[in-house]
Structure formats: C-alpha cells, structure tokens
Amino acid sequence: GTEFTSISVAEFFYRNRQMVGFGNPTQAVYSTIRELVENSLDACEDAKILPEINVIIRRESSDLLLIEVSDNGPGMPYQFVPEAFGKVLFGSKYGLRHKRGTFGLGVTMAVLYGQLTTNYPATIITKHGQGEANEFRLLVDIKNNTPIIEYSGPNSSHSIGTKVTLKIRGDLKRSKLRITEYLRLTSVSTPHAQITLLIDDNPPIQFGRYSKMIPTPPRISRPHPRSADIELLHHLISNNNSMTLKAFLVDTFQKCGTKTATRFLHFLSLNPNRTTESLTRDEIVRISNALRNYNGFDKPESQCLSPIGKDSLMEALNRLYPSASIKYEIRGPFEWNGHPTILEGAVVITDSTPAENPSLIRFANKVPLLYDASDDVLTLAMKRINWNRYGVDTNSQVLLFVNLCSTRIPYREAGKQSIAAIPAIQSEAELLFKTLGRAIKRESSSIRRSKRN
Amino acid sequence: GTEFTSISVAEFFYRNRQMVGFGNPTQAVYSTIRELVENSLDACEDAKILPEINVIIRRESSDLLLIEVSDNGPGMPYQFVPEAFGKVLFGSKYGLRHKRGTFGLGVTMAVLYGQLTTNYPATIITKHGQGEANEFRLLVDIKNNTPIIEYSGPNSSHSIGTKVTLKIRGDLKRSKLRITEYLRLTSVSTPHAQITLLIDDNPPIQFGRYSKMIPTPPRISRPHPRSADIELLHHLISNNNSMTLKAFLVDTFQKCGTKTATRFLHFLSLNPNRTTESLTRDEIVRISNALRNYNGFDKPESQCLSPIGKDSLMEALNRLYPSASIKYEIRGPFEWNGHPTILEGAVVITDSTPAENPSLIRFANKVPLLYDASDDVLTLAMKRINWNRYGVDTNSQVLLFVNLCSTRIPYREAGKQSIAAIPAIQSEAELLFKTLGRAIKRESSSIRRSKRN
Ligand SMILES: Nc1ncnc2c1ncn2[C@@H]1O[C@H](COP(=O)(O)OP(=O)(O)OP(=O)(O)O)[C@@H](O)[C@H]1O
Ligand SMILES: Nc1ncnc2c1ncn2[C@@H]1O[C@H](COP(=O)(O)OP(=O)(O)OP(=O)(O)O)[C@@H](O)[C@H]1O
Ligand SMILES: [Mg+2]
Ligand SMILES: [Mg+2]
C-alpha cells in the first residue's frame, strides 16, 4: 500500500548498515574498532595528550566478541555521553577543522550493531575534569533516535580517560589481519600514539610510539568565501545580527580583510554600508555566486589543518622500512568548495620483490582507509600516472603513502573508506604523484650510480 | 572547541551530498533526472498504468538548467506533497516490497540541490483522485529538515499525473550521454514504459514502449523469519497486542504456518500458549537467534517481487540487438538477511568487435546502475568467473544484463549506484553467471556448427 511515513536517521542507518561499514560480520569487527580508536585519538589530540590506547578483544564464543577500547584522553562532559553514544548525528566535530570524526554517527553505529547482534548495552566510563568518573550503560532507541539509559552513576575506580565496552557478533578470524594493518598504519599517520592490541590471552602487540612530538591541534576556522553557497550564506546572515555588508564579510569569512571586502562590494556595485537585513534574496544569490568566483581572495589558511608533517612521517616510515629510500612531498593549502585542504605523501622504495607496483596506501585526516580502494580519487589519480617513465618497474617495490587533510573529507559513503572524485582533489593528487615520481627517478638513478661505484 | 550539538539529516546530506549522487555538476544532472523518473515509474506501477513520462531539459544559460519530469501516474495525496518533496527520510516505500525508491530521500535531495545552486523552489503539480489538481512551490528548510511551502493552491489546467519542475546548475554537455544511456536501459528493464526526452529544441528522443504487458505490482509481504534480528523482533512484538507465541509467529511471519510454528517452539522448549508479553529479554534473544538459524522454514515467497521476466526482457533486448543471440536465466527466490530476492539475467552475443568482454550492465529493482561499478557485488562475481572456458573471446561481443530484485537492495551508498558484497547475493550471482556462461558455450558451438553447414 502507499502509507506515507517518515523514519528516524537511526532507523535509516540500521536498515542500511552496509553503508556505514557494518554490512558483514568481518567488516563489523573492523568498523567497531576503528570508530572507537579514532574517537580516542581525536580526543587526545584536542587535549594535547600523548595518546595511550588499549584495544582488548575477547572471544566469548565462536562469534561473540567483547571489545573494549580505553584511552588516557580528557574524557567527555557527562551530560553529553548518552546522546554522543546513543543518538545518530550528534557529536562535537561539526566545526570546520581537521578531525578524524565528522558525522556524529560512528560510535552510535557500533553501539547499535552490538545491541542488534547480542542485545548487550554498551558501557561507557569516562573521567572528565575533577571529581569522580561516571559510568553509563546505554542502548539506542532506533525508532526515535534517542538513547536509552539503562544505568548511570559514579565510578570511583576509573581514574583517567574514556573506556568503551561492547559486545558484538563478528568474524574475528577473518578480521584480524585488517585490524592489525589498520593499527600499524595508524602509527604511521599518528606516530606519537601508542596503541596496544590484546586478543584473548595472546601476547599483547604494541603499535608505536615512534615520536614524542605532539602535533598542534587544528583550530576551528571561519569559512572561506569559496564555500559560500546560497544556503550557507543565508545561514551565516541569519545567524548574525544585522550589520553592514562590509563588516559582515570581514567578520564571517577568512581571507577577507577590510580592503578586500571593500573592493569586492565595489565590484558588485553594492554599497558597503547597506545592512545584511536589507538584502533581497536575489542579491544574496548574486553575492553567493560572486564569492565563489571572484579571484581576489587569497588561498585558505591552514591552522585548521594538522598534516602529519615531514619529520613525523619520515620517522615512522624509517622505523617500519629501515633500509628503504624515503622521500616526502606536500601540496597546498588549496581548497575544494572552499574547504582548506593539504595533500602530503611519501614514497618508500624497498628492495623487496614488488607485488602491485606502485602500491598505494591511503589516509584521510590521518585515518587509514583499507576498503573500497578502486573508485577512490587517490587511486584514480594514481592510475592516470605513467609510472614507467619514472622508473617504477619490477626491480624494487614502490609504496606510496598519501594523506588527504581537509576540514571536510568528501567521503563516498558514510563508512569513511573511500574519497569521492572531486576535481580539485584529483588534479592536486596527480601533481603530487608526478612530484613523487620524479623523486623516485632521481633516487633510482642515484642508487644505480652508487652501485656502479 | 568542543561544542556538542546535533544536525538534521537534511543538513547531513547537504554537507555530504557527494554520498547521494550530487557531488559534481555532471552527476547532479543525472541524479536529478533518475530520481524523478524512478518516482514516476514506481507510481505508475502501483496504479497498473502504462507509464508515459516526459523529460524536458532546457538550458537557460551555460550551466543553468530547467528540468521538468511529468508522468501519467496516479498522482499523490495533496497533504503529503510538502513532506515527500521537502523532508529527508519521508516517503511511501518503507514497506517490504520491490520498489525502485527505498529511502524517502531521492527527490528531496534534487529539490535541495536546485535550491542550493539556483535559489529556485521546486514546483510540483499533481492530480490525485477526483477534483482539481494541486500545485506547490517548495523549498527545504535544511536546518530543521522540514518543507517551506512558498505557494500551494489548485491548478485547474493540469489534468493527469505528476509534474515536477526544478532548476539546477549542472554540466548538461558532459551528462547527456549517460542520461540517454540511462533512459535506453530503463526501457530494457521496464519495456512497457514510454519515456520521451526533449533537450532544448532538439528533436524529441523516444525510449520504448517495447511491450504493452503491465507487470503485476509487487505486494507488501510479511517479514521472513530469517530477517528477525533482535531489534526487529522487539519491534514486531511491541507493535502488536499481547498474544500467544504460536499466534504471533503465524501472524507476523511469512512461511510460518501453525504446524511449523508449533514444531519451532517445541524445538526451543517454549510453551506455544505463553504470551508475547511474558517473554523476557533473554528469551527474545533466543527466539531471534533461532528464527535466523532454524532450517524448518521454507524459502521466501516472491509476490513482493516483480522481476522483469523472460518475455519482457527478451522482447526489449531483441529490439535493441535485432541480429544477436539472446539467452535468459533466473535464480531464486532466495533470501539475504531474510529479504526475498531474485536474480535474473540475459546474455546477448553480437557480432560486433568486443570492447570489454564480457561487458556487464547492472540493474537493481529495474534501476540501471551506471556509476561505481568496480566494487559492485555483480562486478566482483563476474570477475571471479573464468570466461575463457565458456568461449568468451575476441570473436564476438558478449553483453551480460543482470537485474537484482529484492525487498531491500543493499546499496553501498545512498546514491543508489553500487551493491554491497553480501555473501548470499555474491554466490547466487556467480551461479547465475556460470549458467549464462554455459548458455554462451552452447550458443557459440551451435553458431559454429551452423556456419559449417
Ligand atoms: N574516547 C572519547 N573521548 C572523548 N570524547 C569522545 C570519545 N568518544 C566519543 N567522544 C565524543 O562523542 C561524540 C560522538 O562520537 P561519534 O563517533 O558518534 O561521532 P564523531 O566522532 O563526531 O563523528 P564520526 O561519526 O565521523 O565518528 C564525539 O564527537 C566526541 O565528542
Ligand atoms: N511522480 C510521483 N508520483 C507519485 N508519487 C510520487 C511521485 N514522486 C514522488 N512521489 C512520492 O513521494 C515520496 C518521496 O519520494 P522520494 O524520491 O524522496 O523517496 P522514495 O522514492 O520513497 O525513495 P528514494 O529516496 O529511494 O527515491 C515517494 O515515496 C512517493 O510516495
Ligand atoms: Mg567518531
Ligand atoms: Mg524516489
């Protein structure tokens, strides 16, 4: 029949959980762990803490797993725990800056999947500020997209950070390889983090720390004029008291000082002293189109970004590939749809017999992407390069590590595994690969020269 | 800073519109058209009307397009138009049956994209039942995920069906080829539909009709026991008055008659006369696990499905490839997560010089999928077949048309372009391809024999 109704966003992602990385029992284990670990890393980063994260996986039966991730982070305010973990599209990372998390949905999906497959509530213990830690046991009310608090109370034995425990049904055997690969690559992109993996009574595996250098946390930035589509402009105008157009532009956007604002409004034949309140809809459209096309604005600022950086990335790769030849390159900041973006990469040339050559390892805001490589913009860009002309052949393995940093990563799906083919990103990626290609060429010829001598 | 907040699902898909097919100006034109055309086809199907759909694209400037799609369908109830077109996750297709639409978000994204890029509201005129047609001009309040009704009133000059008009910015030149391909393939999967494409003052292009046979509309089915995860079971129990366990099972699930229900409850050592109200949480978990593992339930019924069928598909393909050799195969109904599913396919062998061989053309619930083929389960299945042993070589082009019908298509992303690698679907697809492979082999050897004689 044709019954008109709406569903909650929790219901939507429950029905379509394959879109968020929970479509099969192998990927579900991986997704649960990566969502928890990325939350811990984001939290430690904000608080400028050297991350220490413990990942415990206990097999309670053939496919029933207990998963516990704990960190030494700053914890989180107690009044927000139920919604952060029990409501889809609720979080603290909606501002414009480089974070691993972006949607406000990751950990809630893990809680939901656990509840769905095992009926167990998630347990969250967190210590925030002074005073005792708080403990919560939560379920998700899927129909209403709201948390169900089964228990909440103080926990005096928990002394630091956040610990999340849940039970899920999953295929640990099939998932183990990718989980260890994910953690290994995390210590490449986040070398100052130390992550310990403990599976049943196996000896614990430690990943990192390769560096004690804590990166500067990214700072929320104002939007760049290039990002001002009609909706955003409407939103920015109505969010503020009425003010002069000139003051509005200088106040609201980065890279728009009083001189630039005056020139821009002159170019549009708009009186700088008119109020935002007095603008008609058509004028807003004109301003929006102009903001996105006027070439008088400088490139975006990058304090909202936090790339790995040459020293950190080289240090981590040197640990993993001690005898290899390693070169680093960086491009940007540029922008896509006004979002400040940096692309950084390193090429690692090792003596081993190559499998796929070159082999691409992708990161987005330092998050290793291990699934859905084929249609990723970085893969597409790599495939457009003629690697033969840079001397990539069957004599040595070439590994390309590429990290895309942006205030918004254009993921192709809500499972955060694959980046959409945005033209600006693809062209910058191709240029980065060509630069790395030239580095390979110089390196191989210098290796050959030194072999001859 | 760490400001905890939530965003609406409209805000989520506005920020991440590349996840719903609106990430670039070329795909946006395609997505707008396919969302509108699929809605018209779904509506005509329900009303058992031979679809007549007009797609008009008018270039108003280099990248400003007016897009108008009108149908001869049953229209829709006036009180639901604002939310259907102006609210994300609102629709009439949430019941368990085979429809092209599934999320309640497609057309709202098109409206949102139009408003975002041109500031124009969408205009919807629809005639439903007796009395005058109604006209609406709508925008989406993104922050609150609710429609903004700019105008609504009667329209006495509109006599049938639904007409949707919107303006978007897009790259028509780049999008044209894929739009015509999409419409051409739609007349393969929906041969009783007639679609006319009119771009500016070019001569109109007509797609179909190849058949006057109207398929039986799919009927909403009760869930199959295999689909009863804990959440669904909770939901089904609480949606009903308390009743005996036996009555609940027989009433709620397909393929569960009184005998099967009694045997099942006996197997679980549960008294069939206990009430659903009396069940503990642990008992619900036990029943859920058992429902999904007990092998006493028959395969799902298929009246909720509406495959293209051998006659219709052969008729359409014979029109498009008059001199080709065509064979049809069907598998199922089987189930994935309890969802009734059918896989049907046809192999077309033509004399032309092969490009990629074989070449795969994918459909999901009759919707042609033209993007993101690489990680699609159908592509993965096809790549696992050794096509040489079936005689697929450079002598003739082999085209594989495959349609996945299900009450739920496990799309990898909300843009409905690619199907997730669900194990049950992949294994059935591989078996279908092997069957089609054997058909190719028989066909090629019979062609060779007839050439010798
Ligand atoms: N270990 C933690 N320490 C501190 N805060 C946390 C931790 N885990 C989660 N949070 C808080 O809970 C919020 C919700 O987490 P969730 O993973 O659902 O969303 P997100 O990380 O913002 O985005 P994404 O969906 O992309 O992961 C976060 O925004 C963060 O504020
Ligand atoms: N041409 C039409 N004729 C009749 N009803 C329509 C038409 N177009 C849209 N509708 C109604 O509007 C609802 C919302 O459409 P929308 O495209 O947003 O969602 P959907 O088709 O249900 O799912 P999906 O997001 O997968 O397309 C539909 O469910 C349908 O009831
Ligand atoms: Mg997160
Ligand atoms: Mg639709």
Side-chain angles (χ1 to χ4, degrees):
Chain A
T2 41
E3 184 206 328
F4 284 85
T5 183
S6 69
I7 58 171
S8 78
V9 62
E11 177 78 33
F12 175 78
F13 282 118
Y14 154 67
R15 290 179 177 221
N16 298 294
R17 50 194 177 270
Q18 74 283 348
M19 286 185 194
V20 261
F22 288 89
N24 66 67
T26 304
Q27 194 168 356
V29 187
Y30 175 90
S31 296
T32 299
I33 288 174
R34 63 79 63 102
E35 293 293 354
L36 294 173
V37 167
E38 286 160 29
N39 282 349
S40 292
L41 290 171
D42 277 344
C44 289
E45 204 164 68
D46 272 341
K48 302 195 87 173
I49 294 171
L50 274 178
E52 273 172 46
I53 299 171
N54 288 305
V55 179
I56 298 173
I57 307 176
R58 265 210 296 275
R59 210 179 319 223
E60 305 212 332
S61 78
S62 66
D63 72 339
L64 178 60
L65 309 171
L66 176 127
I67 295 180
E68 185 172 280
V69 175
S70 52
D71 61 59
N72 61 337
M76 56 178 292
Y78 304 141
Q79 73 267 31
F80 295 123
V81 170
E83 284 180 300
F85 288 80
K87 183 178 171 70
V88 173
L89 298 188
F90 183 92
S92 63
K93 300 172 198 169
Y94 290 120
L96 282 175
R97 63 190 178 128
H98 164 295
K99 298 301 290 171
R100 292 167 186 78
T102 166
F103 301 140
L105 98 96
V107 85
T108 305
M109 282 311 301
V111 172
L112 199 156
Y113 188 80
Q115 149 185 342
L116 169 68
T117 55
T118 69
N119 200 40
Y120 269 88
T123 302
I124 301 102
I125 313 176
T126 187
K127 175 122 167 61
H128 186 67
Q130 306 309 322
E132 273 184 320
N134 269 27
E135 175 169 346
F136 299 82
R137 273 205 299 279
L138 302 174
L139 294 165
V140 183
D141 173 346
I142 295 178
K143 183 161 180 290
N144 298 306
N145 189 29
T146 192
I148 300 171
I149 305 176
E150 293 219 323
Y151 169 82
S152 93
N155 181 319
S156 50
S157 56
H158 179 86
S159 55
I160 184 170
T162 303
K163 173 155 74 170
V164 182
T165 310
L166 15 105
K167 294 201 191 191
I168 67 167
R169 289 205 182 274
D171 191 335
L172 177 59
K173 192 151 167 278
R174 284 221 175 98
S175 194
K176 214 187 272 192
L177 209 61
R178 240 186 268 230
I179 291 170
T180 43
E181 181 69 356
Y182 169 83
L183 294 176
R184 188 183 78 96
L185 291 174
T186 296
S187 48
V188 167
S189 62
T190 313
H192 67 295
Q194 178 180 296
I195 306 178
T196 307
L197 174 64
L198 177 60
I199 301 182
D200 291 325
D201 1 292
N202 295 306
I205 310 172
Q206 186 165 314
F207 301 87
R209 146 176 320 125
Y210 297 143
S211 152
K212 284 230 166 92
M213 207 173 70
I214 300 179
T216 315
R219 298 205 316 219
I220 288 193
S221 66
R222 289 172 300 169
H224 187 273
R226 280 277 172 287
S227 66
D229 60 48
I230 298 164
E231 283 304 314
L232 182 64
L233 195 53
H234 265 299
H235 173 77
L236 292 168
I237 287 172
S238 51
N239 257 19
N240 284 310
N241 293 322
S242 189
M243 58 179 89
T244 68
L245 285 190
K246 182 157 133 206
F248 170 75
L249 289 175
V250 173
D251 228 52
T252 309
F253 295 106
Q254 54 165 285
K255 298 300 170 191
C256 188
T258 36
K259 278 219 189 83
T260 311
T262 309
R263 249 182 283 137
F264 174 74
L265 291 166
H266 194 72
F267 163 78
L268 277 187
S269 315
L270 283 170
N271 176 0
N273 290 318
R274 276 191 58 190
T275 60
T276 51
E277 210 169 35
S278 74
L279 288 171
T280 68
R281 273 211 86 149
D282 282 347
E283 287 172 321
I284 292 180
V285 177
R286 266 214 314 129
I287 294 172
S288 161
N289 289 335
L291 283 168
R292 281 176 300 132
N293 293 309
Y294 183 73
N295 51 20
F297 301 113
D298 286 338
K299 288 205 177 294
E301 62 195 19
S302 60
Q303 63 197 17
C304 50
L305 299 178
S306 175
I308 307 168
K310 181 172 184 177
D311 296 339
S312 292
L313 185 52
M314 297 288 281
E315 185 154 3
L317 290 174
N318 273 314
R319 294 272 200 117
L320 287 186
Y321 305 97
S323 57
S325 181
I326 308 180
K327 291 283 168 262
Y328 175 91
E329 288 293 340
I330 188 166
R331 290 197 65 85
F334 56 96
E335 47 90 8
W336 80 270
N337 277 15
H339 292 291
T341 306
I342 277 172
L343 254 179
E344 61 182 333
V347 58
V348 176
I349 309 169
T350 76
D351 283 338
S352 54
T353 327
E356 186 188 339
N357 227 6
S359 195
L360 177 65
I361 298 106
R362 304 165 290 143
F363 297 85
N365 283 357
K366 302 184 183 175
V367 170
L369 308 180
L370 271 69
Y371 285 83
D372 300 338
S374 322
D375 290 326
D376 189 297
V377 68
L378 301 177
T379 305
L380 299 176
M382 182 186 76
K383 293 208 144 76
R384 283 176 50 89
I385 307 298
N386 176 8
W387 293 100
N388 287 330
R389 62 181 291 231
Y390 298 116
V392 176
D393 49 32
T394 51
N395 295 329
S396 51
Q397 170 76 67
V398 173
L399 304 166
L400 297 164
F401 289 79
V402 181
N403 180 36
L404 175 74
C405 308
S406 183
T407 53
R408 182 162 305 157
I409 301 289
Y411 284 113
R412 290 173 53 233
E413 23 58 66
K416 292 177 287 186
Q417 289 296 342
S418 183
I419 308 164
I422 303 295
I425 297 177
Q426 182 158 349
S427 48
E428 291 289 340
E430 290 179 25
L431 292 168
L432 178 75
F433 283 130
K434 287 178 180 160
T435 315
L436 290 172
R438 288 192 289 275
I440 297 170
K441 197 167 186 185
R442 282 195 302 274
E443 201 56 26
S444 328
S445 54
S446 103
I447 289 176
R448 282 199 296 277
R449 265 199 311 278
S450 64
K451 282 196 174 146
R452 286 199 299 265
N453 308 341
Chain B
T2 40
E3 185 207 328
F4 284 86
T5 184
S6 68
I7 59 171
S8 77
V9 63
E11 176 78 33
F12 175 77
F13 282 118
Y14 153 67
R15 289 178 177 222
N16 298 292
R17 50 193 178 272
Q18 74 284 347
M19 285 185 195
V20 260
F22 288 90
N24 66 68
T26 306
Q27 195 170 355
V29 187
Y30 175 91
S31 296
T32 299
I33 289 175
R34 64 80 61 103
E35 293 293 354
L36 294 174
V37 168
E38 287 162 27
N39 281 350
S40 293
L41 290 172
D42 276 345
C44 291
E45 206 166 67
D46 271 341
K48 300 193 87 170
I49 293 170
L50 275 176
E52 273 171 45
I53 299 170
N54 289 306
V55 179
I56 297 173
I57 307 176
R58 266 210 293 275
R59 211 178 319 220
E60 305 212 328
S61 79
S62 64
D63 71 339
L64 178 59
L65 308 171
L66 176 126
I67 295 180
E68 184 171 281
V69 175
S70 53
D71 61 58
N72 62 337
M76 55 178 293
Y78 305 141
Q79 73 267 31
F80 295 123
V81 171
E83 285 179 302
F85 288 80
K87 182 179 170 71
V88 173
L89 299 187
F90 183 93
S92 63
K93 302 172 196 168
Y94 291 120
L96 282 175
R97 62 187 178 131
H98 165 292
K99 298 301 289 173
R100 293 167 185 78
T102 165
F103 301 140
L105 97 97
V107 83
T108 307
M109 282 311 300
V111 173
L112 197 155
Y113 188 80
Q115 150 185 343
L116 169 68
T117 56
T118 70
N119 200 39
Y120 269 89
T123 302
I124 300 104
I125 314 176
T126 186
K127 174 121 168 58
H128 185 69
Q130 306 308 323
E132 275 184 317
N134 269 26
E135 174 168 346
F136 299 82
R137 274 206 297 279
L138 302 175
L139 294 164
V140 184
D141 172 347
I142 296 178
K143 182 161 179 293
N144 298 307
N145 189 29
T146 193
I148 299 170
I149 305 176
E150 294 218 324
Y151 169 83
S152 94
N155 181 319
S156 48
S157 54
H158 179 86
S159 57
I160 185 170
T162 304
K163 173 155 73 173
V164 181
T165 310
L166 15 106
K167 293 200 191 194
I168 67 168
R169 288 204 183 275
D171 192 334
L172 177 59
K173 189 150 169 279
R174 283 220 175 97
S175 194
K176 216 187 270 193
L177 209 61
R178 241 185 269 229
I179 291 170
T180 43
E181 181 67 358
Y182 169 84
L183 294 176
R184 188 183 76 98
L185 291 175
T186 295
S187 49
V188 167
S189 62
T190 313
H192 68 294
Q194 177 178 296
I195 306 177
T196 307
L197 174 64
L198 177 60
I199 301 182
D200 292 323
D201 357 293
N202 295 306
I205 310 172
Q206 187 167 312
F207 301 88
R209 120 172 351 111
Y210 296 142
S211 153
K212 285 228 165 97
M213 207 171 70
I214 300 179
T216 313
R219 299 205 316 219
I220 291 193
S221 66
R222 289 172 300 171
H224 187 274
R226 280 277 173 286
S227 66
D229 61 49
I230 297 164
E231 283 303 314
L232 182 64
L233 194 54
H234 266 297
H235 173 77
L236 293 168
I237 287 172
S238 51
N239 257 18
N240 284 308
N241 294 322
S242 188
M243 58 178 90
T244 68
L245 286 191
K246 181 159 132 202
F248 170 75
L249 289 176
V250 173
D251 230 50
T252 309
F253 294 106
Q254 53 165 288
K255 300 301 172 188
C256 187
T258 36
K259 279 219 190 83
T260 311
T262 309
R263 248 181 283 135
F264 174 74
L265 291 166
H266 194 72
F267 164 79
L268 279 186
S269 314
L270 284 169
N271 177 359
N273 290 318
R274 275 192 58 190
T275 61
T276 50
E277 211 169 37
S278 74
L279 289 171
T280 67
R281 271 210 86 148
D282 282 347
E283 287 172 320
I284 292 180
V285 177
R286 260 206 328 125
I287 295 173
S288 160
N289 289 335
L291 283 168
R292 282 175 300 131
N293 294 308
Y294 184 73
N295 52 21
F297 300 113
D298 286 339
K299 287 202 178 299
E301 63 194 19
S302 60
Q303 63 198 16
C304 50
L305 298 178
S306 176
I308 307 169
K310 181 172 185 177
D311 296 340
S312 293
L313 185 53
M314 297 287 280
E315 183 152 6
L317 289 174
N318 272 316
R319 293 272 200 118
L320 287 185
Y321 304 97
S323 56
S325 180
I326 307 179
K327 291 283 171 261
Y328 175 91
E329 289 292 339
I330 187 167
R331 291 197 64 84
F334 56 97
E335 47 89 11
W336 80 270
N337 277 14
H339 292 292
T341 306
I342 276 173
L343 254 179
E344 62 182 331
V347 59
V348 176
I349 309 169
T350 76
D351 282 336
S352 53
T353 327
E356 187 190 338
N357 223 7
S359 194
L360 177 66
I361 298 107
R362 306 165 287 141
F363 298 83
N365 284 357
K366 301 183 185 176
V367 171
L369 308 180
L370 271 69
Y371 286 82
D372 300 337
S374 324
D375 290 326
D376 188 296
V377 69
L378 301 177
T379 305
L380 299 177
M382 181 186 76
K383 292 205 145 73
R384 285 175 50 89
I385 307 297
N386 176 7
W387 291 101
N388 287 331
R389 63 181 290 230
Y390 297 116
V392 176
D393 49 34
T394 51
N395 294 331
S396 52
Q397 171 74 70
V398 173
L399 303 167
L400 297 165
F401 289 78
V402 182
N403 179 36
L404 174 73
C405 310
S406 185
T407 53
R408 182 164 304 156
I409 301 290
Y411 284 113
R412 289 173 55 233
E413 23 59 69
K416 293 176 287 187
Q417 290 295 342
S418 182
I419 308 165
I422 303 295
I425 296 176
Q426 182 159 348
S427 48
E428 292 288 341
E430 290 179 26
L431 291 169
L432 178 75
F433 284 129
K434 287 177 181 163
T435 313
L436 290 173
R438 288 191 289 274
I440 297 170
K441 197 166 188 188
R442 284 194 301 273
E443 201 56 26
S444 326
S445 55
S446 105
I447 288 174
R448 280 199 298 277
R449 266 200 310 279
S450 65
K451 283 193 174 149
R452 284 198 300 267
N453 310 338

